[in-house]
Amino acid sequence: MSASIGLAMIVVGACGGESSVAPADQPEPSVASFDLPTFPPDSDEVCEPLSLLGPTSAVASATAVELAPDRFVSRADNVYVVLKVEGAKVLSRHEGRYGTPAGDDVDLSLTTVLVGPFANAGAEAEAVEELLDDPAPVLVVSYAEIATRQVRPRLLGAGHLGADGRIELLGPCGRRVQPSLDRAAEAFGTIANADWITRVADRESDEAVATQADFLGLGPADATKAFLDTPPADRDLTLTFVPKELRRGYLLVAFVLNMEASVRGGIGFATSAGRSSIVDTSQDAAAVNVMLLAPDVGTVEVVFFDPNLQRTSLGVFDAGLFDPSQGTVVTVTQAEDGSLSASVVVMADGELEERIGMTRDQLEAYREQLYNW
């Protein structure tokens, strides 16, 4: 279940209201008291370089990081652990394709960084505990719109800053990713410093591809064979994992995800030709994802994953509703009994261009570029 990349804009709706700070239950909080998930047993599916680093907006050093006694509650009523950061210094920035989110409640000062509402691999409980104790802490953050027009830095990964500028990632997922970061950086004549991390965060960069390939144990000639040897339904159809020479056998489909349910977890898509990445339901604003459909796919299943990655089907839909030229709206709702369901409709003429901020010519040129990079 890899991180998302590429073409389609996902907009996750959030309810309104004011942000607030909820008091902690204990005067001396620990990470454990906030019930952050630990490293999951099926970590191979949630811990890989682009999942951890892909959303990176900035890499920052600090003189100290402390756990705040209070939790932060967003306008969308999601509860976050708060890290108080002293002496923050941005070492490198990565400007995403759609820039930094804007809003009426924006704090990118890095005096505080949020964790949660459920931990991603790289910012799991173990990594946060190690970050709090590190004498030269590094924070890999995403400038995320955590609710409608409410933007904060969110922790993606924790690290230690060496004297030579090399960053050693902390936590179980960080240690699993680190050797590939180091080996790929060495192949490019550099080290895994802050600039390297932000280059890997550009999913379409040579650095990202090299790091991911090393992590998967693939040489250039192995990627196609490995992909074809994987049973079709199990193939990861995130663009980075589809070999270039096979991409024209799939369709790049733009879609919008409207979350009318307030739940912790993620939404994924499964077909007989492969599966997409999981969309974090706590992200209540624009995010980027790619969904690839083989031309002969008949249906698309919309799936909800809870924070422990337990899977619940929200419905199976005709693949024709995922129209590559029109775009698609996927809406997830919640019944009074707490059960979730999904509905799928094709966008109206012109809606796709408006949603993603591209003309039709720009959209088609971008789609063509992604088939070839």
Side-chain angles (χ1 to χ4, degrees):
M1 298 172 191
S2 56
S4 55
I5 63 172
L7 173 69
M9 182 70 77
I10 297 172
V11 180
V12 183
C15 55
E18 296 300 319
S19 61
S20 61
V21 176
D25 296 329
Q26 301 178 13
E28 296 183 359
S30 67
V31 171
S33 73
F34 291 106
D35 195 29
L36 287 177
T38 56
F39 198 55
D42 50 355
S43 54
D44 286 336
E45 294 193 358
V46 297
C47 173
E48 43 87 17
L50 296 188
S51 177
L52 195 162
L53 300 175
T56 297
S57 300
V59 181
S61 63
T63 56
V65 179
E66 297 179 355
L67 187 66
D70 299 322
R71 287 170 276 188
F72 180 84
V73 182
S74 76
R75 288 173 172 173
D77 292 326
N78 286 315
V79 181
Y80 295 82
V81 173
V82 180
L83 302 180
K84 295 172 58 179
V85 182
E86 297 182 9
K89 178 183 178 182
V90 174
L91 303 175
S92 186
R93 296 184 185 273
H94 174 244
E95 185 71 19
R97 181 171 301 277
Y98 297 99
T100 299
D104 59 11
D105 180 13
V106 178
D107 182 2
L108 304 182
S109 64
L110 293 178
T111 55
T112 59
V113 171
L114 303 184
V115 187
F118 59 93
N120 54 284
E124 62 278 271
E126 297 94 326
V128 175
E129 292 280 13
E130 292 173 27
L131 180 70
L132 298 175
D133 292 336
D134 198 276
V138 170
L139 300 95
V140 181
V141 301
S142 169
Y143 295 148
E145 191 169 5
I146 61 172
T148 303
R149 297 183 60 76
Q150 186 176 34
V151 185
R152 292 293 189 276
R154 226 183 138 205
L155 189 70
L156 296 176
H160 168 82
L161 182 64
D164 60 353
R166 175 181 174 271
I167 292 173
E168 180 180 355
L169 296 178
L170 305 175
C173 183
R175 282 187 284 275
R176 180 165 294 193
V177 166
Q178 188 69 48
S180 294
L181 282 175
D182 288 331
R183 284 191 293 264
E186 184 179 2
F188 280 73
T190 185
I191 59 174
N193 54 23
D195 288 339
W196 176 259
I197 286 176
T198 55
R199 288 199 292 273
V200 172
D202 180 356
R203 300 171 179 277
E204 299 175 17
S205 68
D206 291 341
E207 291 86 347
V209 173
T211 302
Q212 192 71 28
D214 182 276
F215 184 80
L216 296 173
L218 300 175
D222 298 326
T224 299
K225 183 178 185 303
F227 184 87
L228 294 175
D229 286 346
T230 301
D234 295 332
R235 291 171 182 167
D236 189 332
L237 297 184
T238 307
L239 191 62
T240 303
F241 299 126
V242 181
K244 184 185 300 184
E245 60 268 31
L246 301 177
R247 288 178 190 163
R248 291 188 181 276
Y250 297 84
L251 299 174
L252 288 161
V253 180
F255 65 95
V256 169
L257 176 62
N258 288 325
M259 286 298 298
E260 296 182 358
S262 179
V263 290
R264 297 170 59 195
I267 300 295
F269 300 83
T271 76
S272 59
R275 51 183 170 75
S276 78
S277 57
I278 299 176
V279 183
D280 182 354
T281 63
S282 70
Q283 298 302 297
D284 301 313
V288 179
N289 203 330
V290 162
M291 186 171 172
L292 292 159
L293 293 178
D296 59 351
V297 164
T299 60
V300 178
E301 182 182 19
V302 180
V303 181
F304 173 70
F305 294 88
D306 71 14
N308 295 315
L309 296 180
Q310 295 298 306
R311 183 184 193 280
T312 302
S313 177
L314 303 187
V316 179
F317 303 90
D318 190 295
L321 293 171
F322 290 82
D323 189 312
S325 60
Q326 291 290 96
T328 299
V329 179
V330 179
T331 302
V332 177
T333 56
Q334 189 168 22
E336 290 185 2
D337 63 3
S339 62
L340 302 176
S341 61
S343 61
V344 177
V345 297
V346 178
M347 289 186 193
D349 289 345
E351 184 179 357
L352 175 58
E353 293 90 327
E354 181 180 351
R355 293 264 195 175
I356 68 177
M358 289 183 178
T359 66
R360 174 58 57 171
D361 286 346
Q362 289 172 329
L363 175 60
E364 294 306 326
Y366 180 49
R367 191 194 305 266
E368 185 68 19
Q369 169 195 332
L370 291 179
Y371 278 128
N372 291 304
W373 64 262

